[in-house]
Each structure stands twice: as C-alpha cells, then as structure tokens.
Amino acid sequence: MDPWNSLKSLSSADVAHLQNQQLHAFITTHVYPFSPFYRRLFDQKGINPNDIKTIADLKRIPFVSKTDFINPNNPQQYRDFILQPDEKLIKQFWPKGKLIALLAKKIFNGSESVKDAMNREYRPIFMTFTTGTTNSPVPFVYSRHDIDNLNISGSRMVRLFDIAEDERIMNIFPFAPHLAFWQVFFGAVQANVFALSTGGGKVLGTEGNMTAMMRIKPSVILGVPSYIYHLIRFAQQKNHDLSFIKKIVLGAAKVTVAYKQKLADMLKEQGATDVKIFGTYGFTEARSAWAECPAQHHESSGYHLYPDKEIIEIIDPETGEVKGPGEDGEIVYTSLDARASVVLRYRTGDFVKGGVTYGECPFCKRVCMRLSSDISRLSDTKDLQLSKVKGTLVNLSHFGSVLNDMLEIEEWQIEIRKHNNDPFDVDEVIIYVTPRKDVNESTLLVAIKEKVVGSTEVSPNEIITIPLCDMIKRLELETANKEKRILDLRPKG
Ligand SMILES: [Zn+2]
C-alpha cells in the first residue's frame, strides 16, 4: 500500500514532522556516509550531519546547480554525487542499532541476502540524462530502489488522472534516455494499465503514430505539447474520429491556458467532446514528475507534490533567501528517499509564480502540498546586440507567451541572426508565423508586432508568414526530440 494515501490527509504540521525525521535519517544514514561530494562539502563547511534535524536546518547546506556537475577537466564529476557505500564506510558511519540489524540479517538469512539487499538499494542499474540545450548533458543514475520510486510517482500520477485499469494509454514521448518517456513507461507498468509506447514522431513518424492510435483507440495520450498538437492537427486533416480520447497528459514543456483551449477545440471538432488536459512537471535531477489533477481548461490545480519523497523550497534567485507559502521564486529540490545519484538543495533554474501551497486541493479535495504550474525558465534571457551601442537582455519566454496566446497563430518560430551574416554587425530578430485558417494576414501581422513590442520592448526586424508544411520542417516537429522554437543562428563563441 502506497503511504501517499494516508499522507494526503495529514496536517501541514504532521507533514513537517515527518519530513524533519526523514531528512535527518536520510542525511546521517545515506548522504553523508556514502556521497563523496556531500561528505567533502559538509567537512569543508564544518557542517555536522547530526545537526541537520529539521527543514529549517537545510539553510546551512549550500545550494548546488547544474554547474556543480560539469567540469571540463573531469567528465566523470557527476560520479561524486552517486552514493558509494562499502564495508568500511558502513562500519564507520552507521549507528550501532542499524549495524546490529544488518548483522542479524546476515546470521539468519546469510551474507548473500545482505549483499543482494545492498545491491538492490545502491547499485546503479539505469540512467537518464538532462536535456540541456546550453550545457552538456549530465547523467543521473538509478538503483532498483530509485526505480521503485519512479514506479511510485508514476502510479500516483495515474491515480491523479483517474485512469481506470481497463483504460488504454498511448505514450508518445520521444524514446530517449530522458525522464518523460521512462516515467510513463514505468508508471503504466506499475499501475497495471495497458500502454503502447511509440517513441514519438522521430521513431514511428506521424503517419505511424496515427495508425497506431486509430488501431488501439487509447483513452489517454501522453506526450510533448508541440507534438501532440501536431498529431491532433494531422488527425483533423484526415478527418479521423477521435471520440475515444478522454485525457491528454503533457510533459517536458510549459502548458498555457491558451494551448489547452486550442487543443480542446480541435479535439471537440473530431468528436472528443469531454477531454481533460493535464500538465506535468519533472526534471532529471528529481528522477520523478508531478502532475495536475482534473480541472477546467482555464484553471490549474498546480502539481501535487510527494512530501515523503522530496522537499521543495522556493527561494529568491538573487539572495537565496527562502520564501514563504504561496510566494514566487526559484524552485529548489532536495531528495528525501533517493539512492544512486543524490542532490540536496538543487537549484532548478525554474521560476514559479505562486510557489507552494498547503491544504485541501479545491479540485480533487486531496489534502496535499501543491506547486503552482506557472513555471518559466530563469535562463531564457539572451543578450541581443540590437543597436551598435549596447547589448540588451531580452527574455525570450515573453515572445513565447505572446505568440502562444494568440489564437490566430497556428505555429511560430523566432530566428535570431546577424545582419548581413556579418559576425560584427547587429543582431536581427525575425518572427516566422503560420496563421490559422481564415485569418486576415495583414491584420495579424500588425497585431503581432504590437503585442511583441508591448511585451518584450523588442521590435522584430521582419515578420514572415509561411505555409504549415514549411513551418513543420523549420521547427523539426517530426524529426527532433524537442522542436526548434527559437533558432539562434549567430556564430557561437
Ligand atoms: Zn487536486
């Protein structure tokens, strides 16, 4: 029985008590003894692991971020974050009670069984990578214990989405050593629900995915927003009856209200009249994902967190100060039950508006901590040389929110390039758009320019309309794991 069932009815004081106990045990029994990175860090900073007794004590532990995993002189740096127990360390660090229990197990069940249990708990057997577009990918490894946790988060999400045992799932996340595909794969296996994992557009092609969908008629479809949208548009062109679709679960990218509405409208036209659309949030370092529960398209329940598996802090990205409930800030992750790769106070670089809230969820009535779904990347800013005089920091996610929210736009792409292709000249911003059917192009172009200037203070050099087939190629919608929404063609370096 998954303890989340009982956890969801605990008060916030009970949750804090449980997290305090778990944090202390996790740090003293697993992290400090067996993590080369954290033992070194604690020793350098004079932190006694026994002094970390409550969530408030977390403040004493420095943050880590992606850069801590990357060292040009040591490509194996990520290994420092992997728990590496051996007999000597166990004897040195484990409390007497735990050592006696281990010894008793050895006496009664034999040393092989102790070895098996230790291997199951700690030995890395599985790996996923970060999908960094700027940094090199960082590997995160899982032990069997971590796979069990991946199963748990998967089955908790299946429960949140109210997926019944006799429903059929189609997993269209790109097949890759990335969290999303495997989270769904393991979650469905654990929940004992039929799932077809197609591998996405790159593996089966859009035609192939469509044929599979029409054959198995899944009630639940999971995938990346841009590709799901593309697939439903394809079904619309073929005039397929999609009335079997009841739920769509999206991951690996931000989902806006406008997107949910657009997708729901298209599905309705194809006969799927009452579709619930869910956003999810997860990242490689957590080796887990969280999800929304059923709500109307213009509302979001936020992502339901697992207080027995992690601590989510919200901090001021400038000062590092920890924020209170419901406050905006950067998402910081600490695992409470991880083995293999372990991070404490990991700065995600994701900024959330509305932070973490406590109490009963107004939609599913679970008493559960929830993370607001209004999340954007902090590092989406680019330095553009728009005039000869000085560079301007431009937040590219603002372009995305303007263009995504315009219902007249079918697809869009931003291209940043050098004027005349001259590396010493100014930068140019070009917007490519494919208008939706029956939209007046000249009115649309004026509206785009106005909205983009209003939101970003950048006046695009050109706005070009192109047909959908060309746009699909430009975005690499059918060929890449992640679409090329913003294309920076400036010379690197
Ligand atoms: Zn809920």
Side-chain angles (χ1 to χ4, degrees), residues 453-490:
V453 174
S455 165
T456 65
E457 290 172 27
V458 172
S459 180
N461 297 74
E462 243 183 301
I463 305 174
I464 301 170
T465 57
I466 57 171
L468 185 60
C469 51
D470 294 348
M471 183 63 94
I472 289 167
K473 281 191 199 116
R474 285 192 67 94
L475 290 168
E476 297 180 30
L477 264 181
E478 298 189 308
T479 46
N481 280 339
K482 197 169 177 359
E483 82 274 17
K484 305 275 182 292
R485 200 57 74 178
I486 290 163
L487 205 58
D488 192 345
L489 300 179
R490 297 175 294 175

Side-chain angles (χ1 to χ4, degrees), residues 160 293 301 304 361 363-366 370:
L160 269 180
C293 67
S301 63
H304 296 56
C361 169
F363 302 95
C364 70
K365 309 294 176 197
R366 286 178 175 86
R370 284 167 298 126

Side-chain angles (χ1 to χ4, degrees), residues 19 23 55 58 307 309-313 332-336:
Q19 288 195 321
L23 176 68
I55 302 170
L58 266 183
K309 299 294 174 193
E310 76 268 335
I311 293 171
I312 298 287
E313 293 173 283
V332 174
Y333 166 86
T334 294
S335 49
L336 276 179

Side-chain angles (χ1 to χ4, degrees), residues 38 80 87 126 151 216 258 290 301 321 327 348 372 390 442 464:
Y38 282 106
D80 275 9
E87 221 176 312
F126 183 71
N151 286 340
I216 70 160
W290 304 275
S301 63
E321 176 211 349
E327 289 189 319
T348 56
S372 160
K390 63 177 176 62
S442 47
I464 301 170

Side-chain angles (χ1 to χ4, degrees), residues 327-386:
E327 289 189 319
D328 303 348
E330 183 178 350
I331 301 167
V332 174
Y333 166 86
T334 294
S335 49
L336 276 179
D337 189 33
R339 304 294 187 266
S341 302
V342 168
V343 287
L344 305 175
R345 304 200 92 199
Y346 176 77
R347 290 185 65 154
T348 56
D350 286 339
F351 188 87
V352 63
K353 277 189 186 154
V356 174
T357 47
Y358 299 78
E360 189 184 87
C361 169
F363 302 95
C364 70
K365 309 294 176 197
R366 286 178 175 86
V367 177
C368 179
M369 293 156 87
R370 284 167 298 126
L371 175 67
S372 160
S373 56
D374 191 351
I375 297 173
S376 51
R377 292 294 301 163
L378 271 171
S379 59
D380 263 354
T381 46
K382 284 207 179 203
D383 193 1
L384 298 188
Q385 192 76 36
L386 296 168

Side-chain angles (χ1 to χ4, degrees), residues 247-287:
K247 290 155 198 159
I248 295 215
V249 181
L250 304 155
K254 188 177 172 156
V255 178
T256 63
V257 167
Y259 171 91
K260 282 187 183 176
Q261 200 58 58
K262 254 194 217 178
L263 190 67
D265 288 348
M266 284 165 75
L267 285 160
K268 207 174 195 168
E269 282 176 41
Q270 299 318 115
T273 47
D274 186 25
V275 179
K276 291 272 180 282
I277 302 176
F278 303 88
T280 61
Y281 175 66
F283 40 90
T284 311
E285 296 81 359
R287 295 170 305 164

